[in-house]
Amino acid sequence: MKKREVLTSIKDEKLIVERRNQMIKGAVTLFKEKGFHRTTTREIAKAAGFSIGTLYEYIQSKEDVLYLVCDNIYDEVRVRLEEMVVDRYTIAELQQAIQHYFKVVDELQDEVLVMYQEAKSLSKDALPYVLKKELDMVEMFKVIIEGCVENNQFALTDKEISLFAHHLFVQGQMWAFRRWWLQKHYSLEEYTNMQLDFLLKNFSFQQLCEGRQFEYKQKTASFFNRF
């Protein structure tokens, strides 16, 4: 999907990146405190350290700022996730990948919170692009889980693999968007270890095979009991 272009009257690419990074940093703080709709472009310009006139040299609207914020956040999370080293596709490696992801969310929790709360305010042309970037990150976990299945670490169907990947991705995000309660009751280590237990304890190859064998026997017995 093609990246949405944010128009600017400035030709210096290095300066564009620098100024927009200043905007993004200021906007994240404001969006977290006030929300997108109650934040003004004048406030964003002030938080970024320049005038409203300078702001409009780099964007066309407040919606452009929100798009830049979401796009930047997803890029930052993706880059950090790409630091994960997975080559043996074992349960231990999946655990390490999940731990790494939860740590990334913790370090970027303000940004993740803004992304979660304000993505719905993106324009119709920007939202699909941003959501596709999230799906790309979910796909990174899906590939790891698929590798574990091929390596006989799990026994999962394609639908279960997809749901598992989405589920663990959302559990990481929850550390940010439910932090008002979670972080009063759990450390990051406690939360991560408990989520690992919830996510993985029922997905071992042996447990799933035994569970499906039991389910098959139940269905077979039910069938013959009708006669």
Side-chain angles (χ1 to χ4, degrees), residues 78-176:
R78 178 184 53 77
V79 167
R80 301 281 290 278
L81 290 182
E82 287 174 348
E83 296 172 357
M84 299 183 300
V85 178
V86 179
D87 52 18
R88 295 194 300 269
Y89 296 99
T90 62
I91 292 177
E93 283 191 340
L94 177 59
Q95 288 178 325
Q96 291 170 2
I98 294 171
Q99 288 170 331
H100 179 73
Y101 167 54
F102 282 18
K103 186 172 184 292
V104 169
V105 172
D106 180 63
E107 293 172 355
L108 299 174
Q109 56 185 274
D110 283 350
E111 289 84 350
V112 172
L113 180 63
V114 167
M115 178 180 66
Y116 178 79
Q117 291 178 331
E118 303 298 345
K120 63 183 181 296
S121 299
L122 287 164
S123 62
K124 290 182 179 179
D125 64 321
L127 183 58
Y129 170 78
V130 170
L131 293 181
K132 174 64 168 57
K133 297 187 81 165
E134 177 165 314
L135 291 177
D136 288 343
M137 286 185 284
V138 173
E139 185 69 19
M140 295 171 72
F141 284 104
K142 185 179 176 184
V143 168
I144 298 173
I145 297 167
E146 287 173 338
C148 290
V149 170
E150 292 175 6
N151 204 24
N152 292 328
Q153 301 292 296
F154 299 126
L156 299 172
T157 66
D158 288 344
K159 282 191 172 182
E160 287 169 336
I161 290 170
S162 183
L163 184 59
F164 189 10
H166 279 273
H167 183 64
L168 71 86
F169 193 79
V170 171
Q171 297 315 304
Q173 290 180 327
M174 188 168 75
W175 179 248

Side-chain angles (χ1 to χ4, degrees), residues 3 40 47 49 51 62 77 117-118 154 164 169 186 193 220:
K3 185 180 180 75
T40 66
S51 69
K62 188 172 72 168
V77 174
Q117 291 178 331
E118 303 298 345
F154 299 126
F164 189 10
F169 193 79
Y186 305 96
N193 289 337
T220 303

Side-chain angles (χ1 to χ4, degrees), residues 163-197:
L163 184 59
F164 189 10
H166 279 273
H167 183 64
L168 71 86
F169 193 79
V170 171
Q171 297 315 304
Q173 290 180 327
M174 188 168 75
W175 179 248
F177 66 72
R178 297 285 295 182
R179 66 184 183 180
W180 56 272
W181 188 84
L182 288 172
Q183 295 183 24
K184 292 178 181 177
H185 298 84
Y186 305 96
S187 67
L188 176 63
E189 183 179 4
E190 288 173 329
Y191 178 79
T192 301
N193 289 337
M194 292 180 74
Q195 286 293 352
L196 284 171
D197 190 42

Side-chain angles (χ1 to χ4, degrees), residues 1-2 18 26 50 59 72 114 149 180 188 191 195 200:
M1 188 174 291
K2 187 178 179 181
E18 180 183 340
F50 40 76
I59 51 103
N72 180 265
V114 167
V149 170
W180 56 272
L188 176 63
Y191 178 79
Q195 286 293 352
L200 299 177

